[in-house]
Amino acid sequence: MAALAWNPESWLAHPAVQQPDWPDQIELQAAIAELATVPPLVFAGEARRLTEALGEVAAGRAFLLQAGDCAESFTEFTADAIRDKLKVILQMAVVLTYAAGVPVVKVGRIAGQFAKPRSAPTERVGADDLPSFRGHMVNDDAPTAEARAPAPGRLLAAYHQSASTLNLLRAFTTGGFADLSQVHSWNQEFVAASAEGRRFEAIAGEIDRALRFMRACGIDLDREATLHQVEFWTSHEALVLAYEQALTRQDSLTGDWYDCSAHMLWVGERTRAPDGAHVEFLSGVHNPLGAKLGPTATPEEVVSLCERLDPLRAPGRLTLIARMGAARVTEDLPPLLRAVADAGHPVTWVCDPMHANTFVSQSGRKTRRFDDVLAEIRGFFAAHRAEGTWPGGVHVELTGEDVTECLGGAEDILEEQLELRYTTRCDPRLNARQAIDLAFRVAELLRA
Ligand code: PEP
Ligand code: CO
């Protein structure tokens, strides 16, 4: 395609897959027009600061923890759920920082993760073919034709829920809740009693001792902002382009365009075609970007994706999120690592050990085995060690709640237990215990 100048609407001239079939164009245009006037959720300066932090990851001096729901929900939207998700992410980050001694960049799949790509446009429910559920930004998950009709008003609802979620996250992370002296309180009751919980308590106790030691040495800890606040960033898949376009603003300081719906945006495995609409849109915004890479990604494809999204070879601009599957990662990842290094792109490499290890249980539930998740992370680290590149982070789906969606882990969730507390709107998530357990395993790999 001829390289016409980029603008927030230039994606319209490219093939856009996975877009909702909006029944009412007038309603859609009204929603887009309203979104184009609302305040931005994040600021350009924040996105630049995250790019800088991710540049440290790309250089091998920090580690990225990107985590949260597969799909946020309009109906399960409470302060407690947001707080508990943040607790687990903070706990994982403390484990990684303390046990491996590397700074951790914390990015949530949160405050905007409302749209889902689907492998088929329709889904068989009983005797009917219904439109697939595409995330609460688009339609409802109830199995009726009315619920599944895309409704443009949902774009506005997604914006407003993102704003409330981000407001709470900002309050929690800067208002004392994330203070290192609170580290014990992040351990939820159902976690504290477990082996992972006790292991976490031990680290929390050592952090207390270190803080007391520093205070006794005469260090004024009250003046050290980094002990009392954390930088926490938001991210989601930039899937519904009408929404992302409407929230794109020109920075008054630099004149650059930023997608102000989140700090970081990523392009999914199904929408990453280098000449497609999603890549065209993301190529022109200055936020840090991610791109998912599945087992079919070829070195040529990945290099051309890097060329489109990171032509300036800027550290922190592009994070490649490999989701190869436990069985394929050791074979499929190294050629990609080599090709990207040879092309000179200073990308951040991250492992998503969730999306290529999903299967359907006998009872019909989508699930993942904790052991497969771990095996893929091990293979990811091994591939990087062999190639001399930095295994820059992990990207996981989790919740702070005590769900039973992924199999195994220390509490050894069995197939027949999936029914107990299976509440995800989309993919199965690690529960808080499994997530903390995983953080300890990753810390061991980082130390090795
Ligand atoms: C996801 O991250 O929820 C997802 C759909 O991932 P992928 O694009 O890698 O399949
Ligand atoms: Co998912």
Side-chain angles (χ1 to χ4, degrees), residues 387-445:
E387 294 300 320
T389 43
W390 173 240
V394 290
H395 177 121
V396 292
E397 289 180 345
L398 56 70
T399 167
E401 284 142 71
D402 190 13
V403 300
T404 54
E405 297 171 6
C406 291
L407 299 170
E411 64 196 300
D412 202 15
I413 295 174
L414 304 170
E415 280 209 33
E416 53 270 29
Q417 293 170 318
L418 290 178
E419 293 309 313
L420 291 176
R421 291 178 299 280
Y422 192 100
T423 59
T424 183
R425 295 288 156 156
C426 197
D427 289 340
R429 304 158 297 176
L430 299 173
N431 64 30
R433 287 183 56 186
Q434 290 168 325
I436 294 162
D437 193 0
L438 190 75
F440 277 108
R441 316 286 191 116
V442 174
E444 279 159 24
L445 286 168

Side-chain angles (χ1 to χ4, degrees), residues 11 32 49 63 88 101 142 150 161 211 234 264 274 279 310 329 345 355-356 369 387 419 429 431:
W11 63 269
I32 295 174
R49 169 78 200 103
F63 194 74
V88 181
Q161 185 165 326
L211 292 174
T234 61
M264 177 181 185
V279 170
D310 176 38
V329 63
H345 291 280
H355 285 93
R369 286 183 219 285
E387 294 300 320
E419 293 309 313
R429 304 158 297 176
N431 64 30

Side-chain angles (χ1 to χ4, degrees), residues 184-196:
H184 292 277
S185 72
W186 304 340
N187 221 0
Q188 296 184 71
E189 239 166 83
F190 76 92
V191 179
S194 68
E196 310 83 80

Side-chain angles (χ1 to χ4, degrees), residues 10 24 90 124 191 212:
S10 59
D24 187 333
L90 293 177
R124 190 102 200 148
V191 179
R212 278 202 302 273

Side-chain angles (χ1 to χ4, degrees), residues 225-425:
T226 50
L227 296 176
H228 310 297
Q229 304 193 340
V230 300
E231 283 189 311
F232 188 84
W233 312 99
T234 61
S235 72
H236 62 258
E237 178 173 350
L239 184 69
V240 177
L241 292 173
Y243 178 83
E244 305 300 339
Q245 173 204 314
L247 286 169
T248 296
R249 307 276 186 273
Q250 200 163 16
D251 175 30
S252 54
L253 213 61
T254 59
D256 291 335
W257 291 93
Y258 285 83
D259 181 346
C260 296
S261 71
H263 297 112
M264 177 181 185
L265 287 315
W266 78 83
V267 62
E269 164 69 0
R270 294 162 192 78
T271 50
R272 63 171 162 76
D275 55 357
H278 292 80
V279 170
E280 167 64 16
F281 174 75
L282 288 176
S283 72
V285 296
H286 282 67
N287 308 61
L289 304 176
K292 294 284 201 92
L293 301 175
T296 60
T298 64
E300 297 71 36
E301 265 170 23
V302 176
V303 168
S304 76
L305 192 59
C306 290
E307 195 48 52
R308 288 284 278 133
L309 296 180
D310 176 38
L312 303 179
R313 292 170 171 72
R317 161 69 170 174
L318 183 58
T319 296
L320 295 178
I321 308 162
R323 28 90 87 216
M324 300 286 157
R328 297 190 60 169
V329 63
T330 36
E331 216 169 298
D332 293 352
L333 186 57
L336 305 185
L337 300 182
R338 241 168 279 152
V340 172
D342 289 348
H345 291 280
V347 304
T348 302
W349 280 102
V350 166
C351 175
D352 166 358
M354 315 298 290
H355 285 93
N357 294 314
T358 316
F359 67 97
V360 178
S361 75
Q362 300 228 308
S363 58
R365 291 297 197 185
K366 255 209 250 180
T367 188
R368 293 156 175 161
R369 286 183 219 285
F370 185 82
D371 285 349
D372 291 340
V373 168
L374 200 57
E376 179 156 359
I377 296 177
R378 286 212 179 93
F380 173 81
F381 270 78
H384 281 281
R385 297 263 139 93
E387 294 300 320
T389 43
W390 173 240
V394 290
H395 177 121
V396 292
E397 289 180 345
L398 56 70
T399 167
E401 284 142 71
D402 190 13
V403 300
T404 54
E405 297 171 6
C406 291
L407 299 170
E411 64 196 300
D412 202 15
I413 295 174
L414 304 170
E415 280 209 33
E416 53 270 29
Q417 293 170 318
L418 290 178
E419 293 309 313
L420 291 176
R421 291 178 299 280
Y422 192 100
T423 59
T424 183
R425 295 288 156 156

